[in-house]
Amino acid sequence: MSATKGMVLTMEKRIRVLVAKPGLDGHDRGAKVIARALRDAGFEVIYTGLRQTPELITETALQEDVNVIGLSILSGSHNTIFPKVLALMKEKNMSDEVLLIGGGVIPDDDIPGLKAAGVAEIFGPGTPTASIVDFITANAK
Amino acid sequence: MDIVQELLQGSKLALSRAITAIENEYDGAFTIMQELYPHTGRAHVIGITGPPGAGKSTLTDKLAKQCRRQGKTVGIVAVDPTSPFSGGAFLGDRIRMNELTMDPEVFIRSMGTRGSLGGLSLKTSEVVKIMDAAGKDIIFIETVGVGQSEVDIIKVADTTVVVLVPGLGDDIQAIKAGILEIGDIFVINKADRDGVERLNNELKMMLDLNQSAVDWHPPVKRTIASEGIGIAELMSKIEEHIGYLHSSNELAIRRTQRARNELLALLKEQISRHVLATIMVSGEFDSLVTSIEQRLQDPYTIAFRLLSNYLR
Amino acid sequence: MANESLEAKMVAYNAKIEKSLVKNPERNNLAHNRLYTPLDTEELDYESDLGFPGEYPYTRGVQPTMYRSRFWTMRQYAGFSSAEESNKRYKYLLAQGQTGLSCAFDLPTQIGYDSDNAISDGEVGKVGVAIDSLADMEILFDGIDLGKVSTSMTINAPATVLLAMYIAVAEKQGVATENLKGTIQNDILKEYSARGTYIFPPKPSMRLITNIFEYCSKNVPQWNTISISGYHIREAGATAVQEIAFTIADGIAYVEAAIKAGLNVDDFAKRLSFFWDVHNNVLEEVCKLRASRRVWAKIMKERFGAQSPNSMMLRVHMQTAGSTLTAQQPENNIVRVALQTAAAVLGGTQSLHTNSKDEALALPTEDAVRVALRTQQIVAYESGLADVVDPLAGSYYIEALTNQIEQECWDYIEKIDDLGGAVAAIEKGYIQREIQESAYKWQMEVESKQRIIVGVNQFQIEEKPSEGLLRVDESVGEMQKAKLVQLRATRDNATLTAKLTALEEAARDEHKNLMPFILDAVNAYGTIGEICGVLRKVFGEYEAHISL
């Protein structure tokens, strides 16, 4: 299907991404920059603001039927938050269809453990937004 | 999963997946709509429209909570503009609805306008039907607030609430033509700001001038949504309007009009989709566009020729 | 007359070098002119625009002798895990020659939650020290004489509580409150617009802030009651001009609130302080500082009618920009911090925190923070930059850029005034949108290589995984929970209940100063969660509505 610029002639599937700030951390510069970059890449981005609990995150993801959940964590609480989110995703039957990714300040040492638990990728400081877009495009179901 | 069955039994996941199927036009989307249609028609649909910055999301959140206090179940469709350049959208209305997310009787879905050129898409009315079939008593549609959407909402809503704010730089004169005709209830939100009286008076004056033959005279209510002020009164007014629609013939008239619009829209959509898909698959399209740009041919001749080919 | 001939000569000069420009084109991402000459500072008047150091408008500095008598306070922000751990780190830093303390609190503490609240799970002790009650505070300062050290506490929404705890610890040490020196950040507006650790809505928050101004002016006269912060606004993505403009607008809002609460400007203004970021562009940062001092002085004198010179001085703590430090090739960060230190010193800061090389990865280890401290000491003792007051003054570029930044700052302040002031501008989302625009622009410049970050988008290497980083033990959460159980069992709960009830009653009366009530609750070993719980009940919680 070709699209003459500015006019989408048929309905394409859009990739829907939930960008979430879990826990008490208030640093949202990265989350907002990424949300915007994803929008500019053609995704539909749902951003729910600060102080999201794992329950809020997964319930929002369910209602919005997102393809990707992206968590931005700079406060060191990743080893608590990610497992909780993964557990809730499983409970809600979302694990097979929804990609879980994350970014922020997450030590290299912790990444293998997170991936083994089901996190698809962690994007460290300095990752170009284009890499995140490419990853989602390639891996979202 | 049998989406329709599970949805009717109350599964939120099924409800969510059904909406996606319709939005993305998966195979079987039409079947879903066909099967759900008999279960629709119960919900009352409230459209919330108005310019950006009026506080529509916050107002919707507060109204929804008021409905919940009355024991009603709620669906919310929050529409935001899709970027015409990237095709993406930033759907940020939920930021004001975090508490409602955890209420099991509330379902909130954010949608981009996606190619319906700024208006409320056909899809929105389908999403409303899905939520209706799922048993929601009240469904709020919160619109984009720019473009055609403000006026299009009347095509989908039973009660249209127009939200304005004082001092946003518009007088009534600047407010889009048409918006005064579609409002069943007008709300001046952020009513603690300067300019409330002036806006109120201008609005009342314009509404008086615009009076139609119908028995409902759109009231002007005041709210400070962020503080929960004026919400109960507004909800009462909405209920009054619902009552009016039932007791007069207005509801039937509107729903007939809606059914008519819907059928026409569906037909148009299907026809153009089908025709265009066939035409564009041939690969000629882009080269024809070029020849028009270079003024080697004119678009009228081409359009006629393409259609004639198709009809043959 | 002389300048007309110079102008003509400039034109001729530029024409002459056209050819070499064609052969050697300049980089296309340069924000400023190639060259500055007397033509750029024609309008400059030494006395009214610059003045002498320590004299209005303080462009050249707030003290006459600056670092020749006393270096800036070397004050490293520190705190993590338990009070015991942080106490060790504070003693280490003092032994290594730092001259002031700076406390970092964990997120539950900053947002008024106890360590055993479900919402605190995973967050206890991670970004700062966990303080649940006075008991923790006593451990934090164990063996540190509060009469001899000045302490800065980065705490905002519950600033009243932490200040009360500090005062209580000092009392137990036998130090009179008149002798206490320090700062609390206490700047809620930037929490709403950039940092996110708010609790209550704006109106009650402003009340708490003015309560502190009033209480300290009478009881803790040497205490800096607020650190009006631009650091976080800058880190969130703002430009240098936006950093000082938005912060000064916040400052205006605080002064107005205090005056409205009945305080006389000269009674509290001398204890207002500021907190700037210090970013990579060395000379721009110097000019930013000089411009900010001039702007604030004019505002205090002309807008608020301050009479006392102390009320007009912008005294500042600075921190090197965390966001400029990279996870890639972290040793490079030592160089960045050294340059930023030079900028802060040339600009005339009163106090400085330097980040450690592992800033992008974790909280600093002892070794890393020592190097950061040494950076300040080397600049102080070895570089000569601290030996002359405002040495860059008179440079055509420096004065022109200072003026330009000042002018752009006024434009923003006017815009914010038109919107109804800082609080209104934040409620309308204006500040947040401006910051986000700048943040996005920056990111796009980096991704398009218009802006080079060494090691990140140029001069990259194959990175090895990082080693030897500080990790906060996950058991801190459990330890704090156990301490709380113990605390609740051993304290006098009846007295505490009475104090909390009294606090609630006082909170409902907007004319009451809450500091004495909070002090009572703190001394009865009320936890931060219990005290803030009472205030949450009365004041409600802030609801953020603005997203993108």
PDB file of all heavy atoms in Angstrom, chain C residues 109 131-138 141 146 153 159-171 515 518-519 522-523 526-528 531:
ATOM      1  N   THR C 109      11.277   9.337  51.617  1.00  0.00           N
ATOM      2  CA  THR C 109      11.422  10.465  52.549  1.00  0.00           C
ATOM      3  C   THR C 109      11.013  11.760  51.871  1.00  0.00           C
ATOM      4  O   THR C 109      10.290  12.573  52.434  1.00  0.00           O
ATOM      5  CB  THR C 109      12.874  10.571  53.044  1.00  0.00           C
ATOM      6  OG1 THR C 109      13.269   9.321  53.618  1.00  0.00           O
ATOM      7  CG2 THR C 109      13.035  11.680  54.072  1.00  0.00           C
ATOM      8  N   ILE C 131      15.152   8.398  55.885  1.00  0.00           N
ATOM      9  CA  ILE C 131      14.907   8.995  57.205  1.00  0.00           C
ATOM     10  C   ILE C 131      13.435   8.826  57.507  1.00  0.00           C
ATOM     11  O   ILE C 131      12.579   9.426  56.855  1.00  0.00           O
ATOM     12  CB  ILE C 131      15.262  10.501  57.226  1.00  0.00           C
ATOM     13  CG1 ILE C 131      16.737  10.720  56.900  1.00  0.00           C
ATOM     14  CG2 ILE C 131      14.884  11.119  58.575  1.00  0.00           C
ATOM     15  CD1 ILE C 131      17.704  10.304  57.995  1.00  0.00           C
ATOM     16  N   ASP C 132      13.138   7.987  58.478  1.00  0.00           N
ATOM     17  CA  ASP C 132      11.741   7.782  58.839  1.00  0.00           C
ATOM     18  C   ASP C 132      11.339   8.609  60.039  1.00  0.00           C
ATOM     19  O   ASP C 132      10.179   8.953  60.196  1.00  0.00           O
ATOM     20  CB  ASP C 132      11.480   6.295  59.118  1.00  0.00           C
ATOM     21  CG  ASP C 132      11.429   5.482  57.831  1.00  0.00           C
ATOM     22  OD1 ASP C 132      10.806   5.948  56.864  1.00  0.00           O
ATOM     23  OD2 ASP C 132      12.015   4.387  57.785  1.00  0.00           O
ATOM     24  N   SER C 133      12.316   8.871  60.934  1.00  0.00           N
ATOM     25  CA  SER C 133      11.975   9.618  62.148  1.00  0.00           C
ATOM     26  C   SER C 133      13.212  10.294  62.703  1.00  0.00           C
ATOM     27  O   SER C 133      14.311  10.114  62.182  1.00  0.00           O
ATOM     28  CB  SER C 133      11.429   8.661  63.202  1.00  0.00           C
ATOM     29  OG  SER C 133      12.517   7.925  63.746  1.00  0.00           O
ATOM     30  N   LEU C 134      13.008  11.016  63.798  1.00  0.00           N
ATOM     31  CA  LEU C 134      14.114  11.682  64.477  1.00  0.00           C
ATOM     32  C   LEU C 134      15.214  10.696  64.834  1.00  0.00           C
ATOM     33  O   LEU C 134      16.395  11.029  64.843  1.00  0.00           O
ATOM     34  CB  LEU C 134      13.571  12.383  65.743  1.00  0.00           C
ATOM     35  CG  LEU C 134      14.562  13.144  66.601  1.00  0.00           C
ATOM     36  CD1 LEU C 134      15.284  14.221  65.792  1.00  0.00           C
ATOM     37  CD2 LEU C 134      13.834  13.788  67.793  1.00  0.00           C
ATOM     38  N   ALA C 135      14.825   9.462  65.124  1.00  0.00           N
ATOM     39  CA  ALA C 135      15.823   8.445  65.495  1.00  0.00           C
ATOM     40  C   ALA C 135      16.860   8.275  64.381  1.00  0.00           C
ATOM     41  O   ALA C 135      18.062   8.193  64.628  1.00  0.00           O
ATOM     42  CB  ALA C 135      15.130   7.117  65.784  1.00  0.00           C
ATOM     43  N   ASP C 136      16.395   8.243  63.134  1.00  0.00           N
ATOM     44  CA  ASP C 136      17.323   8.123  62.003  1.00  0.00           C
ATOM     45  C   ASP C 136      18.189   9.375  61.879  1.00  0.00           C
ATOM     46  O   ASP C 136      19.374   9.300  61.578  1.00  0.00           O
ATOM     47  CB  ASP C 136      16.548   7.917  60.693  1.00  0.00           C
ATOM     48  CG  ASP C 136      15.925   6.532  60.598  1.00  0.00           C
ATOM     49  OD1 ASP C 136      16.605   5.564  60.979  1.00  0.00           O
ATOM     50  OD2 ASP C 136      14.770   6.439  60.145  1.00  0.00           O
ATOM     51  N   MET C 137      17.587  10.513  62.124  1.00  0.00           N
ATOM     52  CA  MET C 137      18.307  11.777  61.984  1.00  0.00           C
ATOM     53  C   MET C 137      19.440  11.867  63.003  1.00  0.00           C
ATOM     54  O   MET C 137      20.525  12.371  62.723  1.00  0.00           O
ATOM     55  CB  MET C 137      17.325  12.939  62.178  1.00  0.00           C
ATOM     56  CG  MET C 137      17.708  14.210  61.502  1.00  0.00           C
ATOM     57  SD  MET C 137      17.605  14.111  59.696  1.00  0.00           S
ATOM     58  CE  MET C 137      17.746  15.858  59.319  1.00  0.00           C
ATOM     59  N   GLU C 138      19.161  11.321  64.209  1.00  0.00           N
ATOM     60  CA  GLU C 138      20.203  11.338  65.253  1.00  0.00           C
ATOM     61  C   GLU C 138      21.397  10.503  64.804  1.00  0.00           C
ATOM     62  O   GLU C 138      22.548  10.890  64.994  1.00  0.00           O
ATOM     63  CB  GLU C 138      19.628  10.790  66.576  1.00  0.00           C
ATOM     64  CG  GLU C 138      18.657  11.764  67.252  1.00  0.00           C
ATOM     65  CD  GLU C 138      17.755  11.089  68.292  1.00  0.00           C
ATOM     66  OE1 GLU C 138      17.958   9.884  68.593  1.00  0.00           O
ATOM     67  OE2 GLU C 138      16.843  11.767  68.787  1.00  0.00           O
ATOM     68  N   PHE C 141      23.646  12.269  62.028  1.00  0.00           N
ATOM     69  CA  PHE C 141      24.594  13.295  62.443  1.00  0.00           C
ATOM     70  C   PHE C 141      25.387  12.913  63.680  1.00  0.00           C
ATOM     71  O   PHE C 141      26.000  13.763  64.328  1.00  0.00           O
ATOM     72  CB  PHE C 141      23.864  14.630  62.659  1.00  0.00           C
ATOM     73  CG  PHE C 141      23.295  15.189  61.395  1.00  0.00           C
ATOM     74  CD1 PHE C 141      21.941  15.118  61.134  1.00  0.00           C
ATOM     75  CD2 PHE C 141      24.136  15.759  60.443  1.00  0.00           C
ATOM     76  CE1 PHE C 141      21.417  15.618  59.941  1.00  0.00           C
ATOM     77  CE2 PHE C 141      23.633  16.259  59.253  1.00  0.00           C
ATOM     78  CZ  PHE C 141      22.269  16.175  58.995  1.00  0.00           C
ATOM     79  N   LEU C 146      26.823  19.954  64.966  1.00  0.00           N
ATOM     80  CA  LEU C 146      25.991  20.830  64.147  1.00  0.00           C
ATOM     81  C   LEU C 146      26.260  22.299  64.438  1.00  0.00           C
ATOM     82  O   LEU C 146      25.788  23.177  63.724  1.00  0.00           O
ATOM     83  CB  LEU C 146      24.503  20.501  64.347  1.00  0.00           C
ATOM     84  CG  LEU C 146      24.086  19.090  63.917  1.00  0.00           C
ATOM     85  CD1 LEU C 146      22.569  18.938  63.935  1.00  0.00           C
ATOM     86  CD2 LEU C 146      24.628  18.752  62.543  1.00  0.00           C
ATOM     87  N   MET C 153      20.185  20.643  53.023  1.00  0.00           N
ATOM     88  CA  MET C 153      19.328  19.462  52.910  1.00  0.00           C
ATOM     89  C   MET C 153      18.434  19.599  51.681  1.00  0.00           C
ATOM     90  O   MET C 153      17.679  20.571  51.557  1.00  0.00           O
ATOM     91  CB  MET C 153      18.474  19.303  54.175  1.00  0.00           C
ATOM     92  CG  MET C 153      19.333  19.007  55.409  1.00  0.00           C
ATOM     93  SD  MET C 153      18.386  18.476  56.831  1.00  0.00           S
ATOM     94  CE  MET C 153      17.763  20.038  57.432  1.00  0.00           C
ATOM     95  N   ALA C 159       9.873  19.752  53.789  1.00  0.00           N
ATOM     96  CA  ALA C 159      11.008  20.500  54.337  1.00  0.00           C
ATOM     97  C   ALA C 159      10.805  20.874  55.797  1.00  0.00           C
ATOM     98  O   ALA C 159      11.749  20.855  56.596  1.00  0.00           O
ATOM     99  CB  ALA C 159      11.267  21.762  53.512  1.00  0.00           C
ATOM    100  N   THR C 160       9.583  21.209  56.156  1.00  0.00           N
ATOM    101  CA  THR C 160       9.293  21.569  57.552  1.00  0.00           C
ATOM    102  C   THR C 160       9.693  20.427  58.482  1.00  0.00           C
ATOM    103  O   THR C 160      10.272  20.650  59.546  1.00  0.00           O
ATOM    104  CB  THR C 160       7.795  21.850  57.759  1.00  0.00           C
ATOM    105  OG1 THR C 160       7.043  20.812  57.103  1.00  0.00           O
ATOM    106  CG2 THR C 160       7.399  23.193  57.199  1.00  0.00           C
ATOM    107  N   VAL C 161       9.395  19.218  58.072  1.00  0.00           N
ATOM    108  CA  VAL C 161       9.658  18.064  58.938  1.00  0.00           C
ATOM    109  C   VAL C 161      11.154  17.837  59.121  1.00  0.00           C
ATOM    110  O   VAL C 161      11.645  17.637  60.235  1.00  0.00           O
ATOM    111  CB  VAL C 161       8.991  16.791  58.363  1.00  0.00           C
ATOM    112  CG1 VAL C 161       9.212  15.612  59.286  1.00  0.00           C
ATOM    113  CG2 VAL C 161       7.503  17.024  58.145  1.00  0.00           C
ATOM    114  N   LEU C 162      11.900  17.872  58.003  1.00  0.00           N
ATOM    115  CA  LEU C 162      13.337  17.627  58.110  1.00  0.00           C
ATOM    116  C   LEU C 162      14.061  18.761  58.835  1.00  0.00           C
ATOM    117  O   LEU C 162      15.001  18.524  59.590  1.00  0.00           O
ATOM    118  CB  LEU C 162      13.952  17.383  56.715  1.00  0.00           C
ATOM    119  CG  LEU C 162      13.949  15.953  56.189  1.00  0.00           C
ATOM    120  CD1 LEU C 162      14.751  15.019  57.081  1.00  0.00           C
ATOM    121  CD2 LEU C 162      12.566  15.413  55.994  1.00  0.00           C
ATOM    122  N   LEU C 163      13.591  19.960  58.628  1.00  0.00           N
ATOM    123  CA  LEU C 163      14.181  21.086  59.351  1.00  0.00           C
ATOM    124  C   LEU C 163      13.917  20.922  60.844  1.00  0.00           C
ATOM    125  O   LEU C 163      14.812  21.108  61.672  1.00  0.00           O
ATOM    126  CB  LEU C 163      13.596  22.415  58.862  1.00  0.00           C
ATOM    127  CG  LEU C 163      14.095  23.665  59.599  1.00  0.00           C
ATOM    128  CD1 LEU C 163      15.600  23.818  59.455  1.00  0.00           C
ATOM    129  CD2 LEU C 163      13.390  24.927  59.074  1.00  0.00           C
ATOM    130  N   ALA C 164      12.701  20.524  61.174  1.00  0.00           N
ATOM    131  CA  ALA C 164      12.358  20.292  62.585  1.00  0.00           C
ATOM    132  C   ALA C 164      13.252  19.198  63.170  1.00  0.00           C
ATOM    133  O   ALA C 164      13.750  19.316  64.293  1.00  0.00           O
ATOM    134  CB  ALA C 164      10.885  19.908  62.704  1.00  0.00           C
ATOM    135  N   MET C 165      13.497  18.151  62.403  1.00  0.00           N
ATOM    136  CA  MET C 165      14.362  17.069  62.881  1.00  0.00           C
ATOM    137  C   MET C 165      15.784  17.574  63.106  1.00  0.00           C
ATOM    138  O   MET C 165      16.423  17.223  64.098  1.00  0.00           O
ATOM    139  CB  MET C 165      14.371  15.915  61.877  1.00  0.00           C
ATOM    140  CG  MET C 165      13.094  15.105  61.859  1.00  0.00           C
ATOM    141  SD  MET C 165      13.269  13.722  60.708  1.00  0.00           S
ATOM    142  CE  MET C 165      11.623  13.016  60.786  1.00  0.00           C
ATOM    143  N   TYR C 166      16.266  18.403  62.199  1.00  0.00           N
ATOM    144  CA  TYR C 166      17.621  18.935  62.321  1.00  0.00           C
ATOM    145  C   TYR C 166      17.730  19.786  63.578  1.00  0.00           C
ATOM    146  O   TYR C 166      18.685  19.652  64.349  1.00  0.00           O
ATOM    147  CB  TYR C 166      17.954  19.755  61.083  1.00  0.00           C
ATOM    148  CG  TYR C 166      19.412  20.150  60.942  1.00  0.00           C
ATOM    149  CD1 TYR C 166      20.331  19.266  60.375  1.00  0.00           C
ATOM    150  CD2 TYR C 166      19.873  21.410  61.349  1.00  0.00           C
ATOM    151  CE1 TYR C 166      21.658  19.615  60.225  1.00  0.00           C
ATOM    152  CE2 TYR C 166      21.202  21.765  61.207  1.00  0.00           C
ATOM    153  CZ  TYR C 166      22.100  20.869  60.642  1.00  0.00           C
ATOM    154  OH  TYR C 166      23.419  21.222  60.490  1.00  0.00           O
ATOM    155  N   ILE C 167      16.741  20.631  63.769  1.00  0.00           N
ATOM    156  CA  ILE C 167      16.719  21.482  64.960  1.00  0.00           C
ATOM    157  C   ILE C 167      16.680  20.614  66.216  1.00  0.00           C
ATOM    158  O   ILE C 167      17.382  20.877  67.201  1.00  0.00           O
ATOM    159  CB  ILE C 167      15.509  22.439  64.912  1.00  0.00           C
ATOM    160  CG1 ILE C 167      15.724  23.493  63.825  1.00  0.00           C
ATOM    161  CG2 ILE C 167      15.274  23.108  66.266  1.00  0.00           C
ATOM    162  CD1 ILE C 167      14.513  24.364  63.543  1.00  0.00           C
ATOM    163  N   ALA C 168      15.870  19.550  66.179  1.00  0.00           N
ATOM    164  CA  ALA C 168      15.754  18.660  67.347  1.00  0.00           C
ATOM    165  C   ALA C 168      17.089  17.979  67.662  1.00  0.00           C
ATOM    166  O   ALA C 168      17.490  17.868  68.821  1.00  0.00           O
ATOM    167  CB  ALA C 168      14.665  17.630  67.092  1.00  0.00           C
ATOM    168  N   VAL C 169      17.794  17.524  66.627  1.00  0.00           N
ATOM    169  CA  VAL C 169      19.105  16.889  66.838  1.00  0.00           C
ATOM    170  C   VAL C 169      20.075  17.911  67.433  1.00  0.00           C
ATOM    171  O   VAL C 169      20.824  17.607  68.365  1.00  0.00           O
ATOM    172  CB  VAL C 169      19.672  16.321  65.520  1.00  0.00           C
ATOM    173  CG1 VAL C 169      21.103  15.842  65.715  1.00  0.00           C
ATOM    174  CG2 VAL C 169      18.803  15.188  65.018  1.00  0.00           C
ATOM    175  N   ALA C 170      20.050  19.125  66.877  1.00  0.00           N
ATOM    176  CA  ALA C 170      20.940  20.180  67.377  1.00  0.00           C
ATOM    177  C   ALA C 170      20.670  20.457  68.848  1.00  0.00           C
ATOM    178  O   ALA C 170      21.592  20.596  69.653  1.00  0.00           O
ATOM    179  CB  ALA C 170      20.750  21.452  66.552  1.00  0.00           C
ATOM    180  N   GLU C 171      19.407  20.511  69.191  1.00  0.00           N
ATOM    181  CA  GLU C 171      19.029  20.752  70.593  1.00  0.00           C
ATOM    182  C   GLU C 171      19.621  19.679  71.488  1.00  0.00           C
ATOM    183  O   GLU C 171      20.160  19.972  72.543  1.00  0.00           O
ATOM    184  CB  GLU C 171      17.504  20.755  70.732  1.00  0.00           C
ATOM    185  CG  GLU C 171      16.918  22.157  70.863  1.00  0.00           C
ATOM    186  CD  GLU C 171      15.405  22.190  70.652  1.00  0.00           C
ATOM    187  OE1 GLU C 171      14.740  21.154  70.857  1.00  0.00           O
ATOM    188  OE2 GLU C 171      14.923  23.281  70.300  1.00  0.00           O
ATOM    189  N   MET C 515       5.386  25.270  62.120  1.00  0.00           N
ATOM    190  CA  MET C 515       6.694  24.777  62.578  1.00  0.00           C
ATOM    191  C   MET C 515       6.682  24.299  64.033  1.00  0.00           C
ATOM    192  O   MET C 515       7.173  23.200  64.311  1.00  0.00           O
ATOM    193  CB  MET C 515       7.788  25.831  62.368  1.00  0.00           C
ATOM    194  CG  MET C 515       8.413  25.826  60.980  1.00  0.00           C
ATOM    195  SD  MET C 515       9.068  24.220  60.435  1.00  0.00           S
ATOM    196  CE  MET C 515      10.483  24.021  61.519  1.00  0.00           C
ATOM    197  N   ILE C 518       4.973  20.946  64.207  1.00  0.00           N
ATOM    198  CA  ILE C 518       5.746  19.878  63.585  1.00  0.00           C
ATOM    199  C   ILE C 518       6.925  19.505  64.477  1.00  0.00           C
ATOM    200  O   ILE C 518       7.254  18.321  64.639  1.00  0.00           O
ATOM    201  CB  ILE C 518       6.189  20.289  62.165  1.00  0.00           C
ATOM    202  CG1 ILE C 518       4.944  20.412  61.275  1.00  0.00           C
ATOM    203  CG2 ILE C 518       7.179  19.294  61.576  1.00  0.00           C
ATOM    204  CD1 ILE C 518       5.210  20.917  59.865  1.00  0.00           C
ATOM    205  N   LEU C 519       7.544  20.507  65.091  1.00  0.00           N
ATOM    206  CA  LEU C 519       8.637  20.236  66.029  1.00  0.00           C
ATOM    207  C   LEU C 519       8.170  19.326  67.160  1.00  0.00           C
ATOM    208  O   LEU C 519       8.866  18.382  67.541  1.00  0.00           O
ATOM    209  CB  LEU C 519       9.153  21.552  66.623  1.00  0.00           C
ATOM    210  CG  LEU C 519      10.413  22.098  65.972  1.00  0.00           C
ATOM    211  CD1 LEU C 519      10.607  23.563  66.314  1.00  0.00           C
ATOM    212  CD2 LEU C 519      11.636  21.299  66.405  1.00  0.00           C
ATOM    213  N   VAL C 522       7.731  15.830  65.851  1.00  0.00           N
ATOM    214  CA  VAL C 522       9.039  15.236  65.577  1.00  0.00           C
ATOM    215  C   VAL C 522       9.715  14.793  66.870  1.00  0.00           C
ATOM    216  O   VAL C 522      10.279  13.696  66.971  1.00  0.00           O
ATOM    217  CB  VAL C 522       9.907  16.258  64.809  1.00  0.00           C
ATOM    218  CG1 VAL C 522      11.392  16.020  65.019  1.00  0.00           C
ATOM    219  CG2 VAL C 522       9.574  16.233  63.334  1.00  0.00           C
ATOM    220  N   ASN C 523       9.629  15.629  67.873  1.00  0.00           N
ATOM    221  CA  ASN C 523      10.245  15.293  69.164  1.00  0.00           C
ATOM    222  C   ASN C 523       9.556  14.127  69.852  1.00  0.00           C
ATOM    223  O   ASN C 523      10.150  13.452  70.684  1.00  0.00           O
ATOM    224  CB  ASN C 523      10.266  16.517  70.086  1.00  0.00           C
ATOM    225  CG  ASN C 523      11.506  17.378  69.844  1.00  0.00           C
ATOM    226  OD1 ASN C 523      12.635  16.883  69.862  1.00  0.00           O
ATOM    227  ND2 ASN C 523      11.307  18.655  69.588  1.00  0.00           N
ATOM    228  N   GLY C 526       7.291  11.093  65.973  1.00  0.00           N
ATOM    229  CA  GLY C 526       6.349  10.827  64.888  1.00  0.00           C
ATOM    230  C   GLY C 526       7.155  10.553  63.623  1.00  0.00           C
ATOM    231  O   GLY C 526       8.219  11.130  63.421  1.00  0.00           O
ATOM    232  N   THR C 527       6.664   9.646  62.796  1.00  0.00           N
ATOM    233  CA  THR C 527       7.412   9.356  61.570  1.00  0.00           C
ATOM    234  C   THR C 527       7.037  10.369  60.486  1.00  0.00           C
ATOM    235  O   THR C 527       6.005  11.041  60.581  1.00  0.00           O
ATOM    236  CB  THR C 527       7.101   7.955  61.034  1.00  0.00           C
ATOM    237  OG1 THR C 527       5.713   7.929  60.636  1.00  0.00           O
ATOM    238  CG2 THR C 527       7.373   6.889  62.070  1.00  0.00           C
ATOM    239  N   ILE C 528       7.867  10.417  59.451  1.00  0.00           N
ATOM    240  CA  ILE C 528       7.592  11.346  58.369  1.00  0.00           C
ATOM    241  C   ILE C 528       6.265  11.001  57.704  1.00  0.00           C
ATOM    242  O   ILE C 528       5.494  11.878  57.316  1.00  0.00           O
ATOM    243  CB  ILE C 528       8.756  11.395  57.358  1.00  0.00           C
ATOM    244  CG1 ILE C 528       8.613  12.625  56.474  1.00  0.00           C
ATOM    245  CG2 ILE C 528       8.851  10.127  56.524  1.00  0.00           C
ATOM    246  CD1 ILE C 528       9.886  13.063  55.825  1.00  0.00           C
ATOM    247  N   ILE C 531       3.411  12.251  60.069  1.00  0.00           N
ATOM    248  CA  ILE C 531       3.261  13.714  60.065  1.00  0.00           C
ATOM    249  C   ILE C 531       2.714  14.173  58.725  1.00  0.00           C
ATOM    250  O   ILE C 531       1.752  14.947  58.650  1.00  0.00           O
ATOM    251  CB  ILE C 531       4.605  14.389  60.395  1.00  0.00           C
ATOM    252  CG1 ILE C 531       5.037  14.012  61.818  1.00  0.00           C
ATOM    253  CG2 ILE C 531       4.501  15.901  60.231  1.00  0.00           C
ATOM    254  CD1 ILE C 531       6.437  14.447  62.180  1.00  0.00           C
TER     255      ILE C 531
END
